Every structure is written in structure tokens, then in C-alpha cells.
Amino acid sequence: MLRFAPSLTGDMNVNDLRVALFNFIVSKKLNEELLIRIEDIDKERFEEGKDKEVLELLNLFSIDYTRVLNQSSNFKYYQKLAMQLMGQKKAFACFCSDEKLEELKQDAIKNSKPIVYDGFCEKLSDEVVLEVNAAFTVRIKRPNDNIKFDDLIKGTLDYSSDDVDSFVILTHDKNPTSNYACAIDDMLYDISFVIDTEDKILNTPKQIHIRNSLGYSKKIDYLHLPKIELQEEISIKSLIEEGFLPAAIANYLVLLGNKTPKDIFTLEEAIEWFDIKNISLDNPAFDIEKLKIINKKHLILIDELRLSKLLGFADEDIGKLAKLFLEEVSTLKQIKEKIDSIFSKKLVIKGFEKEVSKIINCLQHSPYFENLNELQEFIKNNTGLNEESLSKPLYYVLTGLNNGPNLNDIYPLIKNYLGEIVRC
């Protein structure tokens, strides 16, 4: 069993999606289920509607999952198991104020020491605890021994008790902290493989410590992916809006920091040859130009009818027309701008005002012509324009552009739309 726990405090970004893709690929390789865990306990940070948005994006990228689980449905287990830990003296009530904890933190920084809890409340007797009439958090006792675990690309990792510390598992209002809830969830749902980014790696020994304290001994495999280096955060929604295909984005994110047999591939192909051993330990840099190249290649490969539907049509010729523009553009958005210019109202080109007006007027009363040469002869005969004065304004009238693909290639694909193209 694998799980993907998306952040619901903002838009899904490229690192989030990369984690989702690797979880999906590995679940398919191992023939294991993939769960989506919605971390909805912290109501202040939980953005309404983000869970639905995440699921829509996963579906857009064809990331199959078995079921969706909400952490809020496990609330009773978090509290019950915290009480069990307290009853076994493996956790304790902490009455320390935020001011006191901040003081400990500043003292540690001042003396260049690890920032750890000083254990004051751990020493309180049951009688004293009962007499204190104040809100408290619940802390798990720090481990006696180091916490070791194997990461499938980083090797064996060893964390001291200071690294783990006596951390809070229930807040003042008795809500579970993220690490505590995650550790319990992985127990409840029998998770066997955890894939996340390396910035979450310090959470792992804490979650192992929680499960160890509860007597849960099942081995979990871990893979902490090096994070993609970004100059600024890039949301998946923004990439889609810019016209990048989901297949191309997935291709690029799997390719990044990974040894693959080829550069251009589908997710289905990646499942066939994917091997964890080929993932680099280095942090890959996000290169938008590389993504554009990959996107262009996926656009070249896409079926023409499907491409036309992505552009708002249902005509194979429009798909073929779109591919003509791939010499100069690389995203759906850019192609759509080119297609829109063909069907937009034509104004004038400076220096060719009269010619453009004559051509439009002529074409509004033109019969159907199968080829461009016949159309051009008709325009010449009805406007008095010659070859030299016709070429540039005609290109503009038919495309809304000053230059681009050869008009001989464009015309066969737009001839059936001529009435729309030259409408007033």
C-alpha cells in the first residue's frame, strides 16, 4: 500500500506532482494500492475546495488511486492512541507556555546547542499533573536509542534522540500534529512504501518513533526524492493554463534527475522500465525551455482530431493546421493564439489598407475554391490586384498574421472556413 498526501494549503506544485507520479509508478510496478490522504485536520490552514482541485489534477494526469481518505475521519484513533501512550508513560502532559518554549529555543541558539525540549514536564508526578488547572499539550518521550532506517536512494540514515526530541503529538485543543497523524494513518492503512521529498526526511524518524512506541513493527520502505530546484514556485495549474500537456509535464518530471532509456515517453512506458536505482541524489534544476521542447514533441505525436478538440474544434484539419505552427511555438496556448488570429476580425496592415479591404470584400462574395491558385486568380480578376500587391495582404486576411507557415500548406486546411475567416 502506498499513499500520496497532497498539501492543501496552496496550489499543487511541480514537486508535489513529481511525488504523486513516483507513487503512482511504484504502485503499478509493485501491483499495490495507492491511497490519497486528505490532511484536513488543521482547519485554519486547510483551504476549502483544494482537495477537490487536487483530485481533479490527479485525474487529469491519469494517476489512478484506490480510494480517498480524510484524516478527520480518524480523529478518535489519534486521541485514543495518545491516551494509550500516556497510560504507558511513553507520552506526557506538557504545560509549558509558548513564551517558555521560545526562551528555551533562544538559549539553545545563543549557546549553539540543538533546539530540544528540556524535559521539565516529563518529570512531573501524576499528582501534580492532576492539580494543574491549565491547558496542556501531549508530548511523546524522546527515544532512548538512535532511530535508523534505510532510504532506497540515500542509504542507511541514523538520527539521534536530539534529532527526534520529545515532540508534541496533541496540541492544546487536543488536535493531532501532522507527524503524529501521519504515523497513525500509516499504521491504520498498512502502508508499506512511503515516497516523499527530501525536505520531509526529518519527519521520518519521528513517525518511526511513534509507531515503535505503539509496538508497531512492520517495516516500511522509504524513498525521499531530491527536490527540484526552482527560482520561484511553479504550480501545475499555471503550467496547464500556459498550454503544457499533462503527458508532457509528467514526462518531464519523471525524466528530471532520472536515468531513462529515452527522453520522450508516456507514463505507461515509464511504468515498464522505471527503476529506483536510476534516480540521482542531486537536486535537479527545473528548465522551462526543456519542458517546451518535450511539450512540442508530444504535440507532434498527438492525434490531429484530439488536438483539434483541445483547441475547441472537432476537425482533423484544424489539428493538422495546429501542427504547422509547431515550427515556431511549443504550447497549446500559443497554438490557440495562432488559430484565434485566423478566425479573428481583420483590421488593416499599414501600407496595405486598400488591398486588405478589397480582398475581404471580394472573399465575402467568393465561390468555393479547392486550391489556393484558383482563389488567387479569382481575387486578381475581381480586384485588379497583381501578384506583388496581393501576396502580403492576402496572407494577413487568411491568417491574421504577417508571416508564418506557407499559405499553400495553410489554405487546404482552412478553405472550408473561408466564410468565417472573412466575416465583418
Side-chain angles (χ1 to χ4, degrees), residues 352-376:
F352 291 92
E353 292 87 348
K354 290 181 181 178
E355 289 86 345
V356 167
S357 180
K358 283 183 179 181
I359 293 169
I360 291 175
N361 185 58
C362 176
L363 290 179
Q364 284 173 347
H365 303 92
S366 159
Y368 173 81
F369 288 103
E370 183 64 28
N371 65 65
L372 181 61
N373 289 335
E374 292 175 353
L375 180 72
Q376 288 173 321

Side-chain angles (χ1 to χ4, degrees), residues 48-95:
E48 200 65 40
K50 279 296 172 188
D51 51 343
K52 183 181 177 183
E53 186 179 293
V54 165
L55 296 178
E56 287 173 350
L57 281 172
L58 294 179
N59 291 332
L60 184 63
F61 281 84
S62 301
I63 295 176
D64 298 330
Y65 47 88
T66 311
R67 50 186 168 148
V68 179
L69 306 163
N70 288 66
Q71 280 191 326
S72 54
S73 65
N74 293 329
F75 198 83
K76 61 182 178 181
Y77 296 111
Y78 304 141
Q79 293 195 329
K80 182 178 179 180
L81 291 170
M83 289 173 62
Q84 177 182 317
L85 289 169
M86 292 181 78
Q88 296 171 344
K89 304 297 183 184
K90 294 177 180 178
F92 59 92
C94 177
F95 300 94

Side-chain angles (χ1 to χ4, degrees), residues 138-369:
V138 176
R139 290 180 180 270
I140 192 168
K141 289 185 178 179
R142 67 171 60 209
N144 295 320
D145 302 314
N146 285 14
I147 300 289
K148 295 182 181 181
F149 65 92
D150 292 324
D151 183 279
L152 294 177
I153 59 173
K154 295 179 180 295
T156 301
L157 300 174
D158 190 345
Y159 292 89
S160 71
S161 59
D162 278 351
D163 292 322
V164 179
D165 199 15
S166 295
F167 58 93
V168 175
I169 60 173
L170 290 185
T171 61
H172 288 104
D173 54 7
K174 304 306 171 279
N175 279 325
T177 57
S178 178
N179 270 320
Y180 178 60
C182 291
I184 302 304
D185 290 340
D186 288 347
M187 286 172 51
L188 292 175
Y189 299 108
D190 198 28
I191 298 301
S192 55
F193 204 134
V194 171
I195 301 175
D196 216 325
T197 45
E198 63 184 0
D199 59 318
K200 310 282 180 61
I201 203 163
L202 287 175
N203 294 336
T204 301
K206 293 183 177 183
Q207 293 175 21
I208 291 173
H209 177 47
I210 291 167
R211 291 192 292 270
N212 287 347
S213 300
L214 289 165
Y216 186 82
S217 58
K218 174 174 176 173
K219 182 180 182 292
I220 296 178
D221 288 320
Y222 293 96
L223 172 60
H224 292 91
L225 294 168
K227 287 198 77 171
I228 299 168
E229 291 183 351
L230 301 162
Q231 290 186 332
E232 58 181 351
E233 202 63 78
I234 300 174
S235 75
I236 299 305
K237 194 162 62 172
S238 70
L239 290 177
I240 297 294
E241 288 169 353
E242 284 301 310
F244 292 97
L245 295 172
I249 299 170
N251 182 159
Y252 181 56
L253 293 181
V254 173
L255 179 70
L256 261 185
N258 196 5
K259 190 188 296 180
T260 63
K262 54 184 180 178
D263 279 357
I264 306 301
F265 50 81
T266 64
L267 208 46
E268 291 76 16
E269 289 173 318
I271 292 167
E272 292 297 317
W273 45 251
F274 180 81
D275 190 335
I276 287 165
K277 295 173 185 174
N278 291 328
I279 300 172
S280 171
L281 282 167
D282 298 326
N283 296 86
F286 190 90
D287 183 351
I288 194 70
E289 295 306 317
K290 176 70 172 177
L291 177 57
K292 286 178 181 177
I293 292 169
I294 290 173
N295 197 65
K296 181 182 287 194
K297 290 183 178 178
H298 276 272
L299 284 167
I300 290 169
L301 293 171
I302 201 170
D303 173 77
E304 279 87 0
L305 182 58
R306 180 164 173 253
L307 178 55
S308 80
K309 289 178 179 178
L310 292 174
L311 295 165
F313 294 82
D315 183 350
E316 196 173 308
D317 280 348
I318 297 296
K320 291 176 181 177
L321 175 64
K323 289 189 177 184
L324 290 181
F325 292 108
L326 286 174
E327 286 293 323
E328 52 190 288
V329 301
S330 55
T331 70
L332 269 178
K333 182 180 179 182
Q334 292 170 329
I335 292 174
K336 192 172 188 315
E337 288 169 356
K338 299 290 187 182
I339 301 294
D340 287 348
S341 70
I342 292 173
F343 292 95
S344 65
K345 184 177 179 179
K346 309 303 185 300
L347 301 174
V348 292
I349 308 179
K350 192 173 182 181
F352 291 92
E353 292 87 348
K354 290 181 181 178
E355 289 86 345
V356 167
S357 180
K358 283 183 179 181
I359 293 169
I360 291 175
N361 185 58
C362 176
L363 290 179
Q364 284 173 347
H365 303 92
S366 159
Y368 173 81
F369 288 103

